[in-house]
Amino acid sequence: KEEIAAFRRRLGIKVEGSDVPAPLAEFSQLPAAKTRSAAAAESAAHARGALLSAIEASDWTEPTPVQMQAIPAMAEGRDVLAAAPTGSGKTAAYVIPALMLLGGDAVTKGEGIRALLLAPTRELAAQIHREVERLAAGRKLKACVLSKALVAGSRGQGGLAKNDILICTPMRAVAALRSGALTLTRVRLVVLDEADKLFDAGREGQAPEDTFIAQVDELLAACPSTAQRALFSATLGPHVKELATSVLRDPVSISIGTPNA
Ligand code: ADP
Ligand code: MG
């Protein structure tokens, strides 16, 4: 207990919440995803191996502080609020647990979209997609950035549901949902990245039902209520705190360094 507290203090990791799991000091301690059957366990073990290889290929020697604390919390299925400075590796802090969650790909292949990663701009969504592709090397998982063109071209052939991971802005996801092109009934994880910037992205000149909060509410309502939720941000201003309070359930809250709020 005290060792853990000292370790966190040394790395500038602050945590709040009930039963916060110990930080992950090394990638090699990455837990295997929780599974329900022997076949799923085998598949999860394969997923863990592929993930460790992909991390090794990235030349990352150790997890960053936000990764150390967010990965085990998310791997336990907890909702997470994480605030850490720009450039501190927040993307992998949720992409790694997302890829663990989708561990049983041999068993659950073609189930539809199970992870929804939301970002304030299409450029950020494209960056997240690149990180997902890199870390999903050696896996059968499919990820895509939702665009107008993709929605138009995805009728038939299983449509968007042939992807496991969908990355986009809340506005784009809501449009696809309303048009019937997108189904979120299989989603197990929703991440809001750059949550502070999401607020700037959707404010001026929009109808009340199209504010960012309303869009997020509409998306969450279309997902199973049991879907895990996580919120990542560089800052912890009042907007982000308010969003966290309304969206997260019994979260593990993590902040790294002095949040530049
Ligand atoms: P943030 O979202 O917090 O601004 P990013 O996720 O964009 O940060 O990561 C910033 C950079 O750090 C990226 O180039 C990423 O590949 C790299 N990175 C991520 N995790 C690690 C790690 N554990 N060790 C070294 N570099 C890392
Ligand atoms: Mg980021």
Side-chain angles (χ1 to χ4, degrees):
K1 269 265 158 63
E2 265 159 41
E3 257 171 64
I4 291 173
F7 180 85
R8 287 198 183 110
R9 224 175 299 125
R10 188 146 42 82
L11 288 154
I13 302 172
K14 291 196 199 90
V15 294
E16 275 175 58
S18 59
D19 303 318
V20 180
L24 181 83
E26 292 173 26
F27 283 122
S28 62
Q29 297 167 355
L30 210 61
K34 282 192 251 168
T35 52
R36 285 181 218 105
S37 69
E42 194 176 312
S43 164
H46 168 259
R48 181 179 177 277
L51 195 50
L52 285 174
S53 305
I55 290 166
E56 205 166 308
S58 307
D59 282 327
W60 296 352
T61 49
E62 57 178 15
T64 65
V66 67
Q67 291 166 1
M68 286 181 182
Q69 193 59 72
I71 291 170
M74 290 184 67
E76 283 193 358
R78 298 288 298 271
D79 282 9
V80 164
L81 167 64
T86 301
S88 63
K90 291 191 290 297
T91 319
Y94 63 80
V95 169
I96 288 171
L99 292 172
M100 290 166 62
L101 176 81
L102 305 179
D105 46 20
V107 183
T108 56
K109 206 157 63 125
E111 252 195 47
I113 291 156
R114 284 168 294 145
L116 177 64
L117 312 180
L118 299 168
T121 65
R122 186 173 155 70
E123 292 66 43
L124 272 165
Q127 273 180 37
I128 295 164
H129 184 238
R130 282 194 293 275
E131 192 98 321
V132 168
E133 291 285 319
R134 215 153 43 80
L135 290 169
R139 304 278 298 276
K140 288 186 193 119
L141 297 169
K142 285 202 167 75
C144 72
V145 175
L146 187 59
S147 64
K148 263 187 202 158
L150 185 65
V151 171
S154 69
R155 315 222 189 272
Q157 299 137 39
L160 295 172
K162 63 176 181 286
N163 292 287
D164 303 285
I165 303 173
L166 187 70
I167 310 152
C168 59
T169 62
M171 202 189 299
R172 181 63 55 220
V174 163
L177 189 66
R178 288 181 188 166
S179 77
L182 178 62
T183 311
L184 296 173
T185 51
R186 296 301 193 109
V187 168
R188 294 173 58 189
L189 170 66
V190 181
V191 178
L192 292 168
D193 195 7
E194 309 266 350
D196 46 353
K197 296 207 192 89
L198 278 164
F199 285 94
D200 310 336
R203 209 156 25 183
E204 275 161 66
Q206 290 187 339
E209 68 272 21
D210 280 328
T211 60
F212 154 65
I213 299 277
Q215 289 164 358
V216 169
D217 283 345
E218 189 170 342
L219 292 172
L220 289 176
C223 296
S225 58
T226 50
Q228 187 180 1
R229 301 166 178 183
L231 221 150
F232 283 75
S233 183
T235 62
L236 259 189
H239 284 311
V240 175
K241 283 188 180 155
E242 207 176 299
L243 179 68
T245 306
S246 76
V247 160
L248 306 178
R249 296 146 306 183
D250 186 28
V252 172
S253 299
I254 302 162
S255 74
I256 305 299
T258 358
N260 36 343

PDB file of all heavy atoms in Angstrom, residues 27 60-64 67 84-92 127 131 134 193-194, ligand 1:
ATOM      1  N   PHE A  27       5.422  -2.604 -19.137  1.00  0.00           N
ATOM      2  CA  PHE A  27       4.493  -3.196 -20.094  1.00  0.00           C
ATOM      3  C   PHE A  27       4.428  -4.719 -19.944  1.00  0.00           C
ATOM      4  O   PHE A  27       3.386  -5.322 -20.170  1.00  0.00           O
ATOM      5  CB  PHE A  27       4.894  -2.840 -21.527  1.00  0.00           C
ATOM      6  CG  PHE A  27       4.531  -1.443 -21.931  1.00  0.00           C
ATOM      7  CD1 PHE A  27       5.503  -0.549 -22.364  1.00  0.00           C
ATOM      8  CD2 PHE A  27       3.208  -1.007 -21.896  1.00  0.00           C
ATOM      9  CE1 PHE A  27       5.164   0.740 -22.747  1.00  0.00           C
ATOM     10  CE2 PHE A  27       2.863   0.285 -22.271  1.00  0.00           C
ATOM     11  CZ  PHE A  27       3.850   1.161 -22.702  1.00  0.00           C
ATOM     12  N   TRP A  60       9.066   1.681 -27.229  1.00  0.00           N
ATOM     13  CA  TRP A  60       8.675   2.302 -25.961  1.00  0.00           C
ATOM     14  C   TRP A  60       9.244   1.436 -24.848  1.00  0.00           C
ATOM     15  O   TRP A  60       8.887   0.270 -24.735  1.00  0.00           O
ATOM     16  CB  TRP A  60       7.151   2.364 -25.827  1.00  0.00           C
ATOM     17  CG  TRP A  60       6.488   3.230 -26.853  1.00  0.00           C
ATOM     18  CD1 TRP A  60       7.091   4.059 -27.754  1.00  0.00           C
ATOM     19  CD2 TRP A  60       5.085   3.341 -27.088  1.00  0.00           C
ATOM     20  NE1 TRP A  60       6.150   4.679 -28.531  1.00  0.00           N
ATOM     21  CE2 TRP A  60       4.906   4.257 -28.138  1.00  0.00           C
ATOM     22  CE3 TRP A  60       3.960   2.759 -26.493  1.00  0.00           C
ATOM     23  CZ2 TRP A  60       3.649   4.608 -28.624  1.00  0.00           C
ATOM     24  CZ3 TRP A  60       2.710   3.102 -26.980  1.00  0.00           C
ATOM     25  CH2 TRP A  60       2.561   4.028 -28.032  1.00  0.00           C
ATOM     26  N   THR A  61      10.103   2.008 -24.020  1.00  0.00           N
ATOM     27  CA  THR A  61      10.740   1.178 -23.001  1.00  0.00           C
ATOM     28  C   THR A  61       9.839   0.977 -21.790  1.00  0.00           C
ATOM     29  O   THR A  61       9.845  -0.074 -21.186  1.00  0.00           O
ATOM     30  CB  THR A  61      12.086   1.779 -22.560  1.00  0.00           C
ATOM     31  OG1 THR A  61      11.878   3.159 -22.275  1.00  0.00           O
ATOM     32  CG2 THR A  61      13.120   1.662 -23.679  1.00  0.00           C
ATOM     33  N   GLU A  62       9.078   1.999 -21.424  1.00  0.00           N
ATOM     34  CA  GLU A  62       8.173   1.836 -20.280  1.00  0.00           C
ATOM     35  C   GLU A  62       6.914   2.671 -20.496  1.00  0.00           C
ATOM     36  O   GLU A  62       6.906   3.602 -21.300  1.00  0.00           O
ATOM     37  CB  GLU A  62       8.859   2.245 -18.978  1.00  0.00           C
ATOM     38  CG  GLU A  62       9.370   3.668 -19.004  1.00  0.00           C
ATOM     39  CD  GLU A  62      10.019   4.068 -17.677  1.00  0.00           C
ATOM     40  OE1 GLU A  62      10.311   3.172 -16.865  1.00  0.00           O
ATOM     41  OE2 GLU A  62      10.205   5.277 -17.470  1.00  0.00           O
ATOM     42  N   PRO A  63       5.839   2.315 -19.762  1.00  0.00           N
ATOM     43  CA  PRO A  63       4.613   3.106 -19.905  1.00  0.00           C
ATOM     44  C   PRO A  63       4.833   4.518 -19.370  1.00  0.00           C
ATOM     45  O   PRO A  63       5.632   4.709 -18.444  1.00  0.00           O
ATOM     46  CB  PRO A  63       3.592   2.371 -19.027  1.00  0.00           C
ATOM     47  CG  PRO A  63       4.217   1.081 -18.619  1.00  0.00           C
ATOM     48  CD  PRO A  63       5.691   1.216 -18.776  1.00  0.00           C
ATOM     49  N   THR A  64       4.154   5.488 -19.917  1.00  0.00           N
ATOM     50  CA  THR A  64       4.182   6.840 -19.356  1.00  0.00           C
ATOM     51  C   THR A  64       3.293   6.828 -18.099  1.00  0.00           C
ATOM     52  O   THR A  64       2.478   5.911 -17.926  1.00  0.00           O
ATOM     53  CB  THR A  64       3.639   7.872 -20.359  1.00  0.00           C
ATOM     54  OG1 THR A  64       2.259   7.591 -20.597  1.00  0.00           O
ATOM     55  CG2 THR A  64       4.404   7.835 -21.686  1.00  0.00           C
ATOM     56  N   GLN A  67      -0.331   6.190 -18.651  1.00  0.00           N
ATOM     57  CA  GLN A  67      -0.538   4.807 -19.096  1.00  0.00           C
ATOM     58  C   GLN A  67      -0.434   3.838 -17.916  1.00  0.00           C
ATOM     59  O   GLN A  67      -1.221   2.900 -17.796  1.00  0.00           O
ATOM     60  CB  GLN A  67       0.483   4.442 -20.178  1.00  0.00           C
ATOM     61  CG  GLN A  67       0.257   5.192 -21.492  1.00  0.00           C
ATOM     62  CD  GLN A  67       1.433   5.102 -22.457  1.00  0.00           C
ATOM     63  OE1 GLN A  67       2.446   4.454 -22.178  1.00  0.00           O
ATOM     64  NE2 GLN A  67       1.300   5.764 -23.594  1.00  0.00           N
ATOM     65  N   ALA A  84      -3.849  14.552 -18.226  1.00  0.00           N
ATOM     66  CA  ALA A  84      -2.388  14.513 -18.314  1.00  0.00           C
ATOM     67  C   ALA A  84      -1.972  15.446 -19.441  1.00  0.00           C
ATOM     68  O   ALA A  84      -2.704  15.614 -20.425  1.00  0.00           O
ATOM     69  CB  ALA A  84      -1.915  13.086 -18.589  1.00  0.00           C
ATOM     70  N   PRO A  85      -0.773  16.054 -19.297  1.00  0.00           N
ATOM     71  CA  PRO A  85      -0.364  17.059 -20.279  1.00  0.00           C
ATOM     72  C   PRO A  85      -0.301  16.524 -21.706  1.00  0.00           C
ATOM     73  O   PRO A  85      -0.186  15.319 -21.924  1.00  0.00           O
ATOM     74  CB  PRO A  85       1.049  17.459 -19.811  1.00  0.00           C
ATOM     75  CG  PRO A  85       1.168  16.985 -18.417  1.00  0.00           C
ATOM     76  CD  PRO A  85       0.213  15.861 -18.240  1.00  0.00           C
ATOM     77  N   THR A  86      -0.361  17.435 -22.650  1.00  0.00           N
ATOM     78  CA  THR A  86      -0.208  17.099 -24.065  1.00  0.00           C
ATOM     79  C   THR A  86       1.147  16.407 -24.268  1.00  0.00           C
ATOM     80  O   THR A  86       2.142  16.818 -23.681  1.00  0.00           O
ATOM     81  CB  THR A  86      -0.284  18.391 -24.903  1.00  0.00           C
ATOM     82  OG1 THR A  86      -1.554  19.000 -24.640  1.00  0.00           O
ATOM     83  CG2 THR A  86      -0.169  18.109 -26.391  1.00  0.00           C
ATOM     84  N   GLY A  87       1.140  15.366 -25.060  1.00  0.00           N
ATOM     85  CA  GLY A  87       2.383  14.653 -25.369  1.00  0.00           C
ATOM     86  C   GLY A  87       2.743  13.596 -24.347  1.00  0.00           C
ATOM     87  O   GLY A  87       3.817  13.009 -24.417  1.00  0.00           O
ATOM     88  N   SER A  88       1.823  13.304 -23.407  1.00  0.00           N
ATOM     89  CA  SER A  88       2.152  12.348 -22.347  1.00  0.00           C
ATOM     90  C   SER A  88       1.653  10.927 -22.640  1.00  0.00           C
ATOM     91  O   SER A  88       1.657  10.082 -21.749  1.00  0.00           O
ATOM     92  CB  SER A  88       1.606  12.843 -21.008  1.00  0.00           C
ATOM     93  OG  SER A  88       0.203  12.916 -21.042  1.00  0.00           O
ATOM     94  N   GLY A  89       1.219  10.687 -23.873  1.00  0.00           N
ATOM     95  CA  GLY A  89       0.856   9.322 -24.258  1.00  0.00           C
ATOM     96  C   GLY A  89      -0.557   8.907 -23.898  1.00  0.00           C
ATOM     97  O   GLY A  89      -0.831   7.727 -23.672  1.00  0.00           O
ATOM     98  N   LYS A  90      -1.487   9.880 -23.912  1.00  0.00           N
ATOM     99  CA  LYS A  90      -2.867   9.548 -23.545  1.00  0.00           C
ATOM    100  C   LYS A  90      -3.513   8.600 -24.556  1.00  0.00           C
ATOM    101  O   LYS A  90      -4.333   7.766 -24.187  1.00  0.00           O
ATOM    102  CB  LYS A  90      -3.703  10.831 -23.399  1.00  0.00           C
ATOM    103  CG  LYS A  90      -3.296  11.670 -22.182  1.00  0.00           C
ATOM    104  CD  LYS A  90      -4.273  12.789 -21.892  1.00  0.00           C
ATOM    105  CE  LYS A  90      -4.256  13.913 -22.903  1.00  0.00           C
ATOM    106  NZ  LYS A  90      -2.969  14.631 -22.970  1.00  0.00           N
ATOM    107  N   THR A  91      -3.163   8.714 -25.835  1.00  0.00           N
ATOM    108  CA  THR A  91      -3.803   7.861 -26.854  1.00  0.00           C
ATOM    109  C   THR A  91      -3.611   6.379 -26.519  1.00  0.00           C
ATOM    110  O   THR A  91      -4.584   5.624 -26.416  1.00  0.00           O
ATOM    111  CB  THR A  91      -3.234   8.154 -28.256  1.00  0.00           C
ATOM    112  OG1 THR A  91      -3.071   9.560 -28.402  1.00  0.00           O
ATOM    113  CG2 THR A  91      -4.155   7.624 -29.331  1.00  0.00           C
ATOM    114  N   ALA A  92      -2.351   5.983 -26.333  1.00  0.00           N
ATOM    115  CA  ALA A  92      -2.090   4.570 -26.030  1.00  0.00           C
ATOM    116  C   ALA A  92      -2.667   4.175 -24.676  1.00  0.00           C
ATOM    117  O   ALA A  92      -2.961   3.005 -24.448  1.00  0.00           O
ATOM    118  CB  ALA A  92      -0.591   4.284 -26.078  1.00  0.00           C
ATOM    119  N   GLN A 127      -5.197  10.658 -36.429  1.00  0.00           N
ATOM    120  CA  GLN A 127      -4.003  10.352 -35.615  1.00  0.00           C
ATOM    121  C   GLN A 127      -4.250   9.151 -34.710  1.00  0.00           C
ATOM    122  O   GLN A 127      -3.398   8.279 -34.564  1.00  0.00           O
ATOM    123  CB  GLN A 127      -3.676  11.538 -34.700  1.00  0.00           C
ATOM    124  CG  GLN A 127      -2.789  12.600 -35.316  1.00  0.00           C
ATOM    125  CD  GLN A 127      -2.537  13.723 -34.303  1.00  0.00           C
ATOM    126  OE1 GLN A 127      -2.384  13.478 -33.106  1.00  0.00           O
ATOM    127  NE2 GLN A 127      -2.509  14.957 -34.789  1.00  0.00           N
ATOM    128  N   GLU A 131      -2.449   5.293 -34.500  1.00  0.00           N
ATOM    129  CA  GLU A 131      -1.964   4.628 -33.274  1.00  0.00           C
ATOM    130  C   GLU A 131      -2.644   3.258 -33.097  1.00  0.00           C
ATOM    131  O   GLU A 131      -1.999   2.284 -32.725  1.00  0.00           O
ATOM    132  CB  GLU A 131      -2.240   5.534 -32.063  1.00  0.00           C
ATOM    133  CG  GLU A 131      -1.543   5.111 -30.787  1.00  0.00           C
ATOM    134  CD  GLU A 131      -0.252   5.884 -30.507  1.00  0.00           C
ATOM    135  OE1 GLU A 131       0.501   6.156 -31.469  1.00  0.00           O
ATOM    136  OE2 GLU A 131      -0.010   6.210 -29.333  1.00  0.00           O
ATOM    137  N   ARG A 134      -1.137   0.750 -35.536  1.00  0.00           N
ATOM    138  CA  ARG A 134       0.186   0.341 -35.126  1.00  0.00           C
ATOM    139  C   ARG A 134       0.109  -0.664 -33.977  1.00  0.00           C
ATOM    140  O   ARG A 134       0.760  -1.697 -33.998  1.00  0.00           O
ATOM    141  CB  ARG A 134       0.987   1.569 -34.687  1.00  0.00           C
ATOM    142  CG  ARG A 134       2.463   1.509 -35.028  1.00  0.00           C
ATOM    143  CD  ARG A 134       3.057   2.908 -35.189  1.00  0.00           C
ATOM    144  NE  ARG A 134       2.613   3.822 -34.172  1.00  0.00           N
ATOM    145  CZ  ARG A 134       3.116   3.879 -32.945  1.00  0.00           C
ATOM    146  NH1 ARG A 134       4.074   3.052 -32.600  1.00  0.00           N
ATOM    147  NH2 ARG A 134       2.673   4.753 -32.090  1.00  0.00           N
ATOM    148  N   ASP A 193     -11.888  11.547 -26.159  1.00  0.00           N
ATOM    149  CA  ASP A 193     -10.515  12.038 -26.085  1.00  0.00           C
ATOM    150  C   ASP A 193     -10.499  13.547 -26.252  1.00  0.00           C
ATOM    151  O   ASP A 193     -11.384  14.111 -26.899  1.00  0.00           O
ATOM    152  CB  ASP A 193      -9.650  11.368 -27.156  1.00  0.00           C
ATOM    153  CG  ASP A 193      -8.159  11.575 -26.894  1.00  0.00           C
ATOM    154  OD1 ASP A 193      -7.801  12.116 -25.822  1.00  0.00           O
ATOM    155  OD2 ASP A 193      -7.355  11.207 -27.758  1.00  0.00           O
ATOM    156  N   GLU A 194      -9.485  14.191 -25.679  1.00  0.00           N
ATOM    157  CA  GLU A 194      -9.361  15.652 -25.754  1.00  0.00           C
ATOM    158  C   GLU A 194     -10.689  16.288 -25.357  1.00  0.00           C
ATOM    159  O   GLU A 194     -11.215  17.158 -26.057  1.00  0.00           O
ATOM    160  CB  GLU A 194      -8.970  16.085 -27.174  1.00  0.00           C
ATOM    161  CG  GLU A 194      -7.769  15.337 -27.727  1.00  0.00           C
ATOM    162  CD  GLU A 194      -6.447  16.048 -27.498  1.00  0.00           C
ATOM    163  OE1 GLU A 194      -6.452  17.218 -27.074  1.00  0.00           O
ATOM    164  OE2 GLU A 194      -5.406  15.416 -27.740  1.00  0.00           O
TER     165      GLU A 194
HETATM  166  P1  ADP B   1      -1.234  13.041 -25.807  1.00  0.00           P
HETATM  167  O1  ADP B   1      -2.502  12.495 -26.389  1.00  0.00           O
HETATM  168  O2  ADP B   1      -1.168  12.874 -24.316  1.00  0.00           O
HETATM  169  O3  ADP B   1      -0.976  14.460 -26.218  1.00  0.00           O
HETATM  170  P2  ADP B   1       0.014  11.157 -27.576  1.00  0.00           P
HETATM  171  O4  ADP B   1      -0.815   9.971 -27.274  1.00  0.00           O
HETATM  172  O5  ADP B   1      -0.280  11.877 -28.842  1.00  0.00           O
HETATM  173  O6  ADP B   1      -0.016  12.195 -26.365  1.00  0.00           O
HETATM  174  O7  ADP B   1       1.529  10.688 -27.521  1.00  0.00           O
HETATM  175  C1  ADP B   1       2.612  11.562 -27.739  1.00  0.00           C
HETATM  176  C2  ADP B   1       3.793  10.798 -28.306  1.00  0.00           C
HETATM  177  O8  ADP B   1       4.334   9.902 -27.349  1.00  0.00           O
HETATM  178  C3  ADP B   1       3.450   9.957 -29.521  1.00  0.00           C
HETATM  179  O9  ADP B   1       4.432  10.109 -30.496  1.00  0.00           O
HETATM  180  C4  ADP B   1       3.456   8.540 -28.980  1.00  0.00           C
HETATM  181  O10 ADP B   1       3.762   7.600 -29.976  1.00  0.00           O
HETATM  182  C5  ADP B   1       4.509   8.611 -27.912  1.00  0.00           C
HETATM  183  N1  ADP B   1       4.358   7.611 -26.838  1.00  0.00           N
HETATM  184  C6  ADP B   1       3.218   7.102 -26.350  1.00  0.00           C
HETATM  185  N2  ADP B   1       3.450   6.215 -25.364  1.00  0.00           N
HETATM  186  C7  ADP B   1       4.787   6.167 -25.203  1.00  0.00           C
HETATM  187  C8  ADP B   1       5.657   5.419 -24.322  1.00  0.00           C
HETATM  188  N3  ADP B   1       5.168   4.585 -23.412  1.00  0.00           N
HETATM  189  N4  ADP B   1       6.989   5.613 -24.438  1.00  0.00           N
HETATM  190  C9  ADP B   1       7.482   6.465 -25.378  1.00  0.00           C
HETATM  191  N5  ADP B   1       6.722   7.182 -26.234  1.00  0.00           N
HETATM  192  C10 ADP B   1       5.385   7.048 -26.147  1.00  0.00           C
END
